[in-house]
Amino acid sequence: MSRRKCYFGCEGKLNLFASPKEESTRQYWVQFLFAGQQQPTANWFLCSRHFSEDAFLNRAQYEAGFSARLLLRDGAVPSVKGRVQESEALASSSQQTPTTHYRHTGCQTDPLPTVSVATQFCHHMVSVGTQLSYSTLKNHVRSKGVQVTLCSSVDTENPQQDTRLKLSSTPGKTSAPSPGVRPAKRPRLELQEEEEDEETFSHPHDSTNDLGDSEMSGMESACDYTDPKYIVFESSLRDLFQTCPVCRWECVVQQRSLGTFVSFSQRCPNCQYTRKWQSQPIKENTPVGNLQMSAAVYFTGGSFIQMEKICKAMNLRMFQYDTFRRHARMFLEPAINHKWKTDQQTLIEHLKEEKDKIAVGGDMRADSPGHSAKFGSYTLMHLKSNNIIDVQLVQSNEVGGSSHMEKEGLRRGLDFLEAHHLNVDYIVTDRHAQVHKYLKERNVDQYYDVWHLEKDLSKQLENLAKNKECLVVRKWLPSIKNHMYWTATASKSGAEKVAKWKSLVNHLQNVHTHDDPLFPKCAHPDRVSRDPNKWFQPGSTALSKVEKLLLDKRILRDVEKLNHDHQISSLEAFHSITEGFTPKNDVLSSVGRLCRLYLAAMHFNENAKRDQSTTLEGKAVCRLMFPHCKNGQCIATPVQTEPTFQYVSDLMKLLFEKIFEDPTRYTEDLNKVSLPEDSRGAAGTQQSRQQVQEAPGTSGQQHRTGWRA
């Protein structure tokens, strides 16, 4: 453009025009300029000073700053010959009678001030309504009149090219730091195109050039992840950019999308007005909405597969599963690990301040029923506060089989408490034989949970009650269960517990005096029943079988070790919550399963001490339930207040304010966690730690069709 000059040699700010293509108009130009002389062979141009003011389409917009250059009307011809200097052009135009041109820009959403622009000519007054507020135009306004900032050139000749935005939903891989040198903040992310199978929406006026690095840097914006979000239809968005807010011409609209992110570039072919708009902030080349969607699914224990099905059902744009896994590996899992370790250390410091030995409960949960479990998680709970202290993940091939996972998980948990100088007073567990032997060797006092013993004994009594000669046993099942709980809590001495348990056999025969000196007589008054069929008859088959079962040596030994203060029913409740975060049928990697266990622990600890709900009058609220374990009997259970999810908000804050800025330290902390290596395939080949974190589970296809990610 710098080589082009006006044919008459005019100087100053020029708008140059080439000779028109229409033959009749072109001949008029040639006759005006050369008047029969020979026409030069080189290309020639005329500047705007050789045309009258009514020869232009957008003279008012150009002088107001809304157009970058002047546009000639069809059939416009020059009328001023010779060199015209800029000062002469201004002087001649100042001698004309000034006419004020008013252009009103209205909005359908916000009340706007009237924008009045004084120009040197006008033919009529135009009032234009638009859906854009005046604030959208402020980005293009400068101090000299009103000017627009031009975007880069837009190609409209290839409307069928790919319109997806070439930016990354996740950061690129960073190089390994030098030994002994802590790396600085991660380098600027490389632009890469997502391999997505989503549709791109074509438009007759779409431009399809991909954004470059310079344009991408201009799209970076402040990240406010707490902003409310809304579902907006694409047609509603296109209505905002269909027409020019200045001249009301139909604009060329370019749309680019990446997952939940969409951007529009608008250009008016008439007045050259341009504008860019994006649906969400972009930070480090990553759309914030994409990352926050992954975080919301993961932090709440949800399933990406289920979320993807929901989005597809309502045609809501969503990124791919691989993007979700990269988000999890690089940001989400380091955030979960850091939050859990911080909360765990706070709980340990609080327990140290009490300067007392702690009573803990321990139990294992396997990832599948039976002896085919691959993973097992062993949990230690502080029984006084019902808070989870530690969770250990064990893989079966580490210890030689599923039956050895519980002992190994307990060993790791006790080693963790010992390393943090927490003294264990006693531990309440189930009746696992290996656990009993290990705790005896480690000199740790062990007690049994009443529910586990009652559960095992009830199964044997129910099987006994199926015999025709022992039908009376079924009538006594609730009483036997209640007697076991009373035996556990009525005395701290093991001998007294055994004596009270043996008295049950006398109760079955309606005898309330006993030979045991520790418990010679029942405390309740004697009751005489008129129906002898309610009692066990002396010497009957039913009584002998029940007596043999209740007075078995192992049963008596276990009754002696029943805990009198605390039970691990809260630990069973934690396992129920864990089922929502890591269902047993899911296929998860080691790090994915461990992080979801941490999420379940954070959720349980936050809601461990919820109060009972009350009515407006202050009365406690209960609900009737018919649990399967009660064989259809109705029980009243208290209704607790709604759970809170403050840990999710804390994780979001940690993610966007710290980890997203520099994830290196947090990723290193996660890599220090001791995790079993996943095995894949029938041969059980061992995978590296990097492959384990990349993989969603034992099989990518299997995981895609599974219930949860």
Side-chain angles (χ1 to χ4, degrees):
M1 198 67 170
S2 59
R3 296 179 181 178
R4 299 178 180 179
K5 295 182 180 180
C6 180
Y7 176 76
F8 293 106
C10 301
E11 298 179 355
K13 186 177 180 181
L14 302 177
N15 276 269
L16 298 178
F17 304 96
S19 59
K21 296 181 179 180
E22 186 181 357
E23 185 62 25
S24 59
T25 308
R26 178 183 176 84
Q27 291 299 329
Y28 188 92
W29 281 42
V30 172
Q31 182 67 24
F32 173 79
L33 293 176
F34 308 113
Q37 301 179 7
Q38 184 179 1
Q39 180 180 350
T41 57
N43 293 332
W44 45 270
F45 301 88
L46 287 179
C47 68
S48 57
R49 298 167 187 169
H50 301 281
F51 297 87
S52 61
E53 293 181 350
D54 57 355
F56 300 101
L57 286 171
N58 60 337
R59 184 63 179 264
Q61 291 92 331
Y62 175 76
E63 293 183 355
F66 287 108
S67 295
R69 58 176 288 111
L70 290 170
L71 301 176
L72 282 176
R73 298 181 183 274
D74 294 338
V77 294
S79 58
V80 180
K81 285 188 176 182
R83 176 179 297 186
V84 181
Q85 302 295 335
E86 186 174 10
S87 57
E88 296 177 3
L90 292 175
S92 61
S93 62
S94 62
Q95 296 175 1
Q96 300 179 10
T97 304
T99 305
T100 304
H101 172 78
Y102 295 97
R103 179 174 298 277
H104 176 71
T105 302
C107 180
Q108 296 181 1
T109 55
D110 300 324
L112 302 176
T114 301
V115 182
S116 300
V117 181
T119 64
Q120 298 300 327
F121 74 99
C122 181
H123 299 287
H124 57 277
M125 179 179 294
V126 182
S127 178
V128 180
T130 178
Q131 293 182 344
L132 302 176
S133 64
Y134 181 68
S135 60
T136 62
L137 302 176
K138 288 184 178 179
N139 296 331
H140 310 281
V141 177
R142 294 185 179 179
S143 58
K144 182 180 179 180
V146 184
Q147 293 182 343
V148 296
T149 303
L150 289 178
C151 300
S152 60
S153 61
V154 183
D155 181 14
T156 61
E157 297 179 358
N158 301 314
Q160 300 301 324
Q161 295 181 7
D162 187 12
T163 59
R164 288 178 295 181
L165 180 62
K166 283 192 175 181
L167 59 95
S168 172
S169 263
T170 55
K173 296 181 179 179
T174 57
S175 58
S178 302
V181 179
R182 185 180 184 274
K185 294 180 66 175
R186 67 169 183 264
R188 183 169 182 82
L189 307 175
E190 299 179 359
L191 295 177
Q192 51 181 305
E193 184 174 3
E194 287 286 340
E195 298 179 357
E196 300 187 30
D197 55 357
E198 62 179 293
E199 299 180 5
T200 56
F201 298 92
S202 60
H203 188 266
H205 301 282
D206 279 356
S207 176
T208 56
N209 280 348
D210 292 317
L211 293 180
D213 291 337
S214 60
E215 291 182 87
M216 189 62 195
S217 61
M219 298 176 70
E220 295 280 336
S221 55
C223 170
D224 187 5
Y225 62 93
T226 60
D227 272 358
K229 288 84 177 174
Y230 303 92
I231 295 179
V232 182
F233 282 50
E234 182 187 347
S235 57
S236 299
L237 287 177
R238 282 194 171 275
D239 288 343
L240 299 176
F241 308 100
Q242 199 71 31
T243 57
C244 177
V246 178
C247 65
R248 298 298 295 169
W249 275 54
E250 187 174 4
C251 293
V252 177
V253 180
Q254 179 187 24
Q255 175 188 347
R256 298 177 177 89
S257 60
L258 182 66
T260 63
F261 172 88
V262 65
S263 69
F264 287 92
S265 297
Q266 179 184 15
R267 181 177 67 84
C268 177
N270 179 37
C271 65
Q272 302 301 316
Y273 169 79
T274 59
R275 190 168 71 98
K276 291 182 180 179
W277 179 89
Q278 60 193 43
S279 63
Q280 56 188 254
I282 292 179
K283 192 71 172 178
E284 300 292 341
N285 290 7
T286 302
V288 175
N290 287 351
L291 179 59
Q292 192 168 12
M293 173 67 79
S294 296
V297 172
Y298 205 125
F299 292 163
T300 57
S303 165
F304 179 84
I305 304 301
Q306 292 288 59
M307 187 65 188
E308 189 179 38
K309 291 179 182 178
I310 295 173
C311 293
K312 286 184 178 180
M314 65 179 303
N315 202 21
L316 183 64
R317 299 293 92 181
M318 188 66 170
F319 45 85
Q320 287 186 322
Y321 175 78
D322 292 340
T323 301
F324 171 76
R325 279 307 308 160
R326 287 194 294 272
H327 286 160
R329 184 180 67 255
M330 302 188 69
F331 300 113
L332 310 183
E333 290 168 348
I336 294 171
N337 178 72
H338 179 79
K339 174 82 167 59
W340 166 249
K341 295 300 181 183
T342 303
D343 294 350
Q344 188 181 39
Q345 188 62 35
T346 303
L347 176 60
I348 290 174
E349 295 298 330
H350 177 71
L351 295 178
K352 286 181 180 179
E353 293 177 357
E354 296 181 0
K355 298 180 180 180
D356 293 329
K357 292 185 176 181
I358 60 175
V360 297
D363 196 15
M364 192 195 78
R365 173 185 177 270
D367 65 345
S368 63
H371 298 282
S372 60
K374 178 182 178 181
F375 287 104
S377 58
Y378 198 89
T379 307
L380 289 179
M381 171 185 284
H382 184 233
L383 295 177
K384 185 177 180 180
S385 62
N386 283 346
N387 284 328
I388 304 299
I389 304 177
D390 185 51
V391 179
Q392 294 291 338
L393 184 65
V394 185
Q395 188 167 305
S396 60
N397 59 7
E398 293 182 290
V399 293
S402 302
S403 59
H404 302 282
M405 290 193 300
E406 186 163 1
K407 174 186 173 182
E408 177 64 19
L410 174 61
R411 183 191 66 79
R412 295 180 185 180
L414 292 178
D415 290 345
F416 173 82
L417 297 182
E418 185 177 342
H420 288 81
H421 309 288
L422 291 176
N423 298 321
V424 178
D425 186 15
Y426 62 85
I427 183 172
V428 181
T429 66
D430 55 12
R431 302 162 63 216
H432 199 281
Q434 292 183 7
V435 170
H436 172 73
K437 181 180 178 181
Y438 174 75
L439 292 176
K440 187 176 181 180
E441 294 174 353
R442 192 158 177 163
N443 295 324
V444 177
D445 293 337
Q446 180 191 18
Y447 289 97
Y448 291 146
D449 178 62
V450 178
W451 179 79
H452 283 85
L453 179 58
E454 178 264 321
K455 178 183 177 182
D456 295 342
L457 190 60
S458 296
K459 289 182 179 180
Q460 299 181 52
L461 290 172
E462 288 176 359
N463 292 332
L464 184 61
K466 295 178 181 179
N467 193 333
K468 293 182 179 180
E469 298 178 352
C470 304
L471 295 178
V472 69
V473 176
R474 187 173 301 278
K475 299 179 180 180
W476 280 88
L477 280 177
S479 299
I480 294 175
K481 295 179 182 179
N482 294 334
H483 188 82
M484 180 174 291
Y485 284 99
W486 173 75
T487 300
T489 58
S491 177
K492 296 183 179 180
S493 172
E496 290 184 9
K497 293 177 184 176
V498 173
K500 293 179 179 180
W501 177 250
K502 289 181 177 180
S503 69
L504 177 60
V505 178
N506 293 332
H507 277 75
L508 299 177
Q509 306 175 72
N510 199 16
V511 178
H512 306 289
T513 57
H514 319 289
D515 298 334
D516 197 308
L518 295 176
F519 192 61
K521 183 177 177 60
C522 292
H524 62 79
D526 294 341
R527 296 186 179 91
V528 179
S529 176
R530 297 179 182 180
D531 186 3
N533 294 327
K534 291 182 178 181
W535 308 97
F536 285 80
Q537 300 301 319
S540 63
T541 303
L543 179 60
S544 61
K545 290 185 176 181
V546 170
E547 184 177 2
K548 181 181 179 180
L549 179 61
L550 298 180
L551 301 182
D552 183 76
K553 290 183 179 180
R554 185 182 179 185
I555 296 295
L556 294 178
R557 184 192 64 189
D558 294 346
V559 168
E560 186 179 1
K561 296 178 70 65
L562 291 177
N563 186 257
H564 51 275
D565 285 334
H566 302 288
Q567 307 300 325
I568 56 175
S569 56
S570 296
L571 198 52
E572 296 294 335
F574 169 68
H575 288 166
S576 298
I577 291 177
T578 306
E579 180 67 21
F581 286 86
T582 58
K584 292 186 176 182
N585 294 330
D586 279 6
V587 181
L588 298 172
S589 62
S590 299
V591 63
R593 185 172 295 277
L594 183 63
C595 287
R596 287 182 176 271
L597 289 172
Y598 287 165
L599 285 172
M602 285 186 280
H603 177 84
F604 183 84
N605 287 347
E606 182 176 328
N607 298 278
K609 296 182 179 180
R610 283 187 291 161
D611 297 328
Q612 186 174 0
S613 298
T614 57
T615 61
L616 296 177
E617 294 79 13
K619 297 181 180 180
V621 179
C622 296
R623 61 180 175 181
L624 299 179
M625 297 185 65
F626 298 86
H628 178 72
C629 61
K630 296 294 183 179
N631 295 325
Q633 296 181 7
C634 178
I635 61 174
T637 58
V639 177
Q640 294 180 320
T641 56
E642 292 295 325
T644 59
F645 300 90
Q646 182 60 39
Y647 70 96
V648 176
S649 301
D650 295 341
L651 284 170
M652 287 288 187
K653 183 177 181 181
L654 175 65
L655 171 65
F656 286 100
E657 295 185 5
K658 294 184 179 180
I659 296 181
F660 188 63
E661 298 293 336
D662 183 13
T664 305
R665 177 172 68 89
Y666 303 94
T667 305
E668 292 174 352
D669 292 341
L670 180 60
N671 292 334
K672 294 177 182 177
V673 178
S674 177
L675 288 173
E677 291 186 348
D678 279 349
S679 59
R680 285 195 180 190
T685 55
Q686 297 296 325
Q687 303 293 325
S688 64
R689 182 183 181 87
Q690 180 68 19
Q691 289 173 320
V692 169
Q693 292 182 358
E694 294 275 355
T698 58
S699 171
Q701 181 63 27
Q702 178 183 0
H703 188 79
R704 285 287 300 176
T705 57
W707 185 83
R708 187 179 297 262

